[in-house]
């Protein structure tokens, strides 16, 4: 029942075997459900899991940025998390927002964070335990040790990367990439212009996961990116609001071992709403290879 300190993904079976440990008020192991659909956590969640709402907890909507250091420390401490906790994240909507939480935790320097492979949907498909009981946790102090700016890039950094020929990967659906739609069906668009950053290659996030939501084996993921011509560590990933590209960042960085992948946090919502930002539409034959 020990913890594999090299494991990025943990299986549903791994978590199920450790539910008694997750249900204890013990900071060693903390299970975090990250949702975007309202009331998902309240209706039912994994036993022992604490709940995080992406909309209110994992972003600062006043400045359109990640939570401040103070706000993030308060959030983690309130969830009973310490600097030495093993955090296992999972969530709704294909684990997009759990991957986003994984990236933010890494950005803020947390040493041991995992992702439940397949997320909430896969857990439910396996008929594993759920509950509506909210665990009682002891609030603890959390002191962020530093920020890893190497895994993030801003809009100016993207412009510089374009000049330098750095590979850009747009992980949205092909119709979004081509500018035919502004967001996935049913989602708030939040952006004025369709299209993609000039020169970006379209490799949809869905190409790295199986039908059940779990990641494909690393060899298959590597083949996906090699087929798209992406073999260089120096890569920038983006989507619409940063959640799908966070999942892609996990795939490239943690599963394939790329060591210079940067996440464009502002993604298309920032770029598509920026006056003067260059936009490309359609499907350049030598760039988008997935439709």
């Amino acid at each position: 029942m020990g913890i594999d300190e090299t494991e990025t993904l943990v299986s549903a079976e791994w978590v199920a075997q450790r539910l008694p440990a997750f249900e204890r008020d013990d900071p060693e192991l903390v299970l975090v459900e990250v949702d975007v659909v309202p009331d998902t956590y309240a209706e039912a969640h994994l036993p022992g899991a604490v709940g995080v709402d992406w909309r209110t907890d994992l972003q600062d909507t006043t400045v359109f940025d990640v939570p401040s250091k103070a706000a993030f420390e308060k959030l983690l401490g309130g969830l009973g998390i310490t600097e030495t906790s093993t955090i296992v994240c999972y969530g709704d909507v294909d684990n997009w927002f759990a991957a986003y939480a994984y990236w933010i935790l890494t950005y803020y320097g947390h040493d041991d964070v995992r992702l439940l492979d397949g997320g909430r949907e896969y857990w439910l498909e396996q008929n594993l335990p759920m509950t509506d009981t909210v665990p009682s946790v002891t609030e603890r102090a959390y002191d962020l040790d530093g920020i890893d700016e190497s895994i993030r890039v801003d809009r100016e950094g993207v412009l510089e990367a374009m000049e330098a020929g750095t590979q850009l990967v747009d992980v949205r659906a092909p119709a979004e990439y081509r500018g035919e739609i502004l967001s996935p069906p049913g989602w708030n668009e939040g952006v004025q212009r369709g299209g993609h950053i000039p020169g970006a290659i379209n490799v949809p996030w869905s190409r790295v996961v199986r039908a059940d939501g779990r990641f494909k084996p690393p060899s298959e993921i590597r083949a996906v990116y090699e087929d798209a011509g992406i073999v260089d560590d120096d890569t920038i990933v983006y989507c619409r609001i940063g959640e799908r590209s966070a999942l892609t960042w996990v795939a490239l960085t943690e599963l394939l071992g790329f060591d210079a992948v940067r996440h464009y946090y502002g993604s298309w919502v920032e770029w598509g709403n920026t006056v003067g930002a260059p936009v490309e539409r359609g499907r350049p034959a030598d760039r988008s290879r997935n439709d």
Side-chain angles (χ1 to χ4, degrees):
M1 299 286 285
I3 298 171
D4 182 350
E5 295 182 358
T6 66
E7 195 73 44
T8 295
L9 301 179
V10 295
S11 68
E13 294 76 16
W14 189 96
V15 173
Q17 291 172 2
R18 291 163 175 79
L19 284 180
F22 283 117
E23 291 182 271
R24 291 196 294 267
D25 182 17
D26 184 341
E28 181 182 4
L29 273 175
V30 181
L31 190 58
V32 179
E33 176 165 315
V34 186
D35 295 321
V36 67
V37 178
D39 301 323
T40 298
Y41 174 84
E43 290 172 2
H45 48 267
L46 275 63
V50 292
V52 169
D53 187 325
W54 170 81
R55 299 163 302 170
T56 58
D57 295 326
L58 295 184
Q59 57 178 326
D60 184 335
T61 56
T62 61
V63 294
F64 188 55
D65 204 344
V66 298
S68 68
K69 179 178 182 290
F72 203 53
E73 288 174 332
K74 182 178 180 180
L75 172 68
L76 296 182
L79 296 173
I81 295 171
T82 70
E83 297 87 344
T84 60
S85 295
T86 294
I87 304 173
V88 177
C89 298
Y90 76 95
D92 60 5
V93 192
D94 296 303
N95 246 2
W96 291 353
F97 297 92
Y100 180 101
Y102 184 109
W103 178 84
I104 288 182
L105 283 160
T106 304
Y107 173 72
Y108 269 128
H110 192 84
D111 287 334
D112 193 356
V113 56
R114 323 289 180 90
L115 199 60
L116 170 54
D117 201 11
R120 181 186 172 94
E121 288 87 350
Y122 182 76
W123 182 274
L124 289 170
E125 288 172 3
Q126 305 310 303
N127 295 314
L128 290 166
M130 297 288 283
T131 183
D132 61 1
T133 300
V134 177
S136 176
V137 297
T138 301
E139 184 172 346
R140 296 178 169 90
Y142 193 106
D143 183 19
L144 291 169
D145 193 29
I147 297 176
D148 186 359
E149 294 288 0
S150 72
I151 67 173
R152 181 180 180 179
V153 65
D154 59 14
R155 186 171 58 86
E156 291 302 317
V158 172
L159 288 168
E160 293 172 4
M162 291 168 63
E163 291 286 330
T166 299
Q167 183 60 71
L168 300 172
V169 180
D170 184 320
V171 314
R172 297 173 299 161
E176 291 176 89
Y177 173 83
R178 293 192 297 264
E180 296 165 5
I181 60 175
L182 297 179
S183 67
W187 289 78
N188 176 35
E189 292 172 342
V191 66
Q192 299 298 311
R193 297 185 295 168
H196 56 269
I197 299 174
I201 291 178
N202 183 215
V203 185
W205 70 274
S206 57
R207 296 196 66 204
V208 306
V209 298
R210 302 180 245 205
D212 62 13
R214 292 179 298 162
F215 280 100
K216 293 178 179 178
S219 60
E220 294 183 24
I221 297 174
R222 190 176 301 278
V224 166
Y225 287 103
E226 288 180 349
D227 182 61
I230 300 164
V231 295
D232 191 342
D233 280 0
D234 191 9
T235 301
I236 292 171
V237 295
Y238 75 92
C239 61
R240 184 177 68 95
I241 56 175
E243 84 293 23
R244 289 172 287 177
S245 46
L247 187 141
T248 301
W249 182 89
V250 171
L252 289 171
T253 302
E254 308 289 41
L255 304 186
L256 298 190
F258 282 32
D259 61 9
V261 180
R262 288 175 286 168
H263 182 219
Y264 175 26
Y265 178 83
S267 279
W268 192 252
V269 164
E270 178 181 46
W271 193 275
N273 286 329
T274 299
V275 175
V279 171
E280 202 166 59
R281 294 184 177 87
R283 185 172 74 94
D286 61 338
R287 288 177 183 158
S288 181
R289 311 181 184 190
N290 305 287
D291 194 22

